Amino acid sequence: MRSILTLATVLLCASFALPQATATSTKASAKQSAEAKPVEPLLSLFRIKPGDPCHTNNDGVQACNPAGGSGDITIDPKTGSASSATTVEFKNDATGSVTGLDGNDTVNTANGSNATISGTGGTVNAGSGSTGSVSNTGAAGGASITVNIGGGSFSVPPGATIPFSG
Amino acid sequence: MKRIHLALFALALATLVLFLFAFGGLDGRPEDTVMVHPRQDALADVAPVASSLELVAALATQQGEREAVPAPSISPATELPCASVQAELEAALVINNEQEQTIVELKAKLAAAIRARDRLTFDVETPYGAFIASHEAEEINDPYSLERIQDWLRQFPVFLGPGEATWIAERTSAKDWTRFGRTSEVALILYLGPDRVMSEVSPARAAELRAYYNDEPIFPR
């Protein structure tokens, strides 16, 4: 009786241990094959998904993509430097904000997106079907922000806020 | 044997305790006590008050609440502006309904104009050209949806099958993309089929998409 019980215990233990051993060996072989695969090209830009924390690069450009939107926002370069030419891109149906835009920075907005942009200079390329507003927070006499929209363009002077609808 | 006796005794004791709790014997309350709601007590105290308004006022005062305000009597002079404002509102609603109908008609007219223009502009050998020439395009009377379909097909040049343009138009109107994917773009890729998108877009675009969604299990490896 006792020997049958011992046998049953051994079998039970084995049934638990065997799949784990198999899984470990499968994982090891998967890791090997993953290592053998060519490395995917890394994006220089940083992707901000809806609901992710805001991201600020060393150029002082901050992009925010609050939860509830239906599109990503990218910021390029992710880190950069104070003199970087930063490009922020609103993908289709993205809703968010950009602050700290200056002279050599650009914001592109895609169809269905809504962008609230502020800064002291730079360019906004408002794609068709996009909406939003541009505020120039610079001091009087400073640079304007250029908004290219529908084949034309307009300037946002310091102190002004102008809505756009592409 | 002794153990059985002890067990039976414990069981009997537990049943007795349970019985007493269930019928209120242990909480010091008589079994036939009827719980009176505090508000009912208050009502009983003010029962002799004649009118219901006085009753409410008395009840409110007793409970330390605000003083009851008697219902204001509406004079014909006050009633008159009400009727005129209501008439004004009804007239505005009629105008609003008429304008809504005009908007629907103008949208349909604009959609027809866009279809006519784009049929002359786009080659039927291109995804958007093939769509705009189709009978399905006739059913989509929202200019904004037509514009979105054109934009999507510029980004994802895939020849649409029956019903697919209608699905995109419905998502555009309902703005409910995230029911189907993390973003509108992901929803569209998943709806069209990642394999199909990869096979129909240019190799450069395929590589771009694969790199962008590198950390998400969207495109086949």
Side-chain angles (χ1 to χ4, degrees):
Chain A
M1 186 68 177
R2 186 173 288 177
S3 63
I4 291 169
L5 198 66
T6 312
L7 184 67
T9 313
V10 168
L11 281 173
L12 197 66
C13 288
S15 71
F16 274 109
L18 196 64
Q20 270 193 338
T22 318
T24 313
S25 65
T26 313
K27 208 181 272 180
S29 63
K31 198 176 174 186
Q32 272 179 348
S33 63
E35 278 165 2
K37 271 185 180 174
V39 179
E40 291 282 349
L42 288 172
L43 296 170
S44 66
L45 51 85
F46 182 66
R47 182 175 52 180
I48 309 162
K49 297 175 186 174
D52 279 357
C54 296
H55 180 79
T56 310
N57 69 8
N58 288 339
D59 190 27
V61 178
Q62 185 184 66
C64 297
N65 193 354
S70 309
D72 293 340
I73 295 173
T74 62
I75 181 166
D76 185 14
K78 179 186 178 184
T79 311
S81 65
S83 59
S84 290
T86 300
T87 301
V88 177
E89 193 154 335
F90 281 67
K91 308 286 265 181
N92 300 286
D93 303 292
T95 300
S97 62
V98 179
T99 54
L101 204 71
D102 64 21
N104 58 353
D105 302 330
T106 307
V107 177
N108 301 321
T109 61
N111 217 318
S113 63
N114 183 281
T116 307
I117 302 156
S118 72
T120 56
T123 306
V124 175
N125 298 313
S128 74
S130 66
T131 54
S133 67
V134 181
S135 298
N136 191 333
T137 54
S144 291
I145 300 175
T146 305
V147 181
N148 298 317
I149 187 165
S153 71
F154 64 86
S155 293
V156 182
T161 297
I162 299 179
F164 68 86
S165 183
Chain B
M1 203 61 180
K2 199 177 174 182
R3 280 183 185 171
I4 293 168
H5 279 158
L6 267 170
L8 280 172
F9 177 72
L11 191 67
L13 198 66
T15 313
L16 185 67
V17 170
L18 198 67
F19 180 82
L20 286 170
F21 267 111
F23 291 97
L26 286 182
D27 62 355
R29 177 158 37 99
E31 281 178 33
D32 57 348
T33 301
V34 178
M35 286 298 288
V36 179
H37 193 276
R39 201 163 174 85
Q40 276 180 296
D41 277 340
L43 276 171
D45 293 344
V46 294
V49 181
S51 75
S52 60
L53 194 65
E54 284 171 325
L55 183 73
V56 173
L59 182 59
T61 312
Q62 191 177 11
Q63 290 188 336
E65 293 169 11
R66 63 184 164 79
E67 291 286 330
V69 180
S73 59
I74 301 160
S75 69
T78 322
E79 186 67 38
L80 210 60
C82 245
S84 73
V85 173
Q86 190 170 354
E88 208 177 330
L89 174 66
E90 278 166 11
L93 286 170
V94 168
I95 293 167
N96 188 46
N97 288 341
E98 284 170 0
Q99 284 180 335
E100 274 181 8
Q101 186 56 38
T102 309
I103 288 167
V104 169
E105 285 166 12
L106 284 174
K107 275 186 173 178
K109 216 170 168 179
L110 182 57
I114 289 170
R115 277 192 295 269
R117 181 197 65 192
D118 290 354
R119 280 172 186 164
L120 293 172
T121 317
F122 288 86
D123 186 353
V124 287
E125 300 296 317
T126 62
Y128 180 69
F131 155 71
I132 205 72
S134 70
H135 287 296
E136 200 173 334
E138 292 287 342
E139 303 296 319
I140 299 169
N141 278 325
D142 175 24
Y144 181 60
S145 291
L146 289 177
E147 186 192 307
R148 284 306 301 266
I149 291 167
Q150 185 190 343
D151 195 56
W152 279 125
L153 295 180
R154 182 184 54 77
Q155 296 175 65
F156 298 91
V158 171
F159 283 89
L160 298 177
E164 288 179 336
T166 304
W167 186 87
I168 295 171
E170 282 170 359
R171 301 289 73 74
T172 303
S173 298
K175 292 186 170 75
D176 62 351
W177 292 100
T178 49
R179 276 177 62 206
F180 304 92
R182 187 177 64 71
T183 62
S184 58
E185 193 171 286
V186 171
L188 185 80
I189 293 166
L190 295 177
Y191 176 70
L192 295 175
D195 288 318
R196 183 176 157 204
V197 169
M198 280 289 129
S199 64
E200 293 197 36
V201 300
S202 69
R205 176 72 173 138
E208 188 184 75
L209 286 168
R210 206 184 282 281
Y212 189 81
Y213 292 108
N214 187 29
D215 61 342
E216 290 180 69
I218 293 174
F219 292 108
R221 294 276 156 204

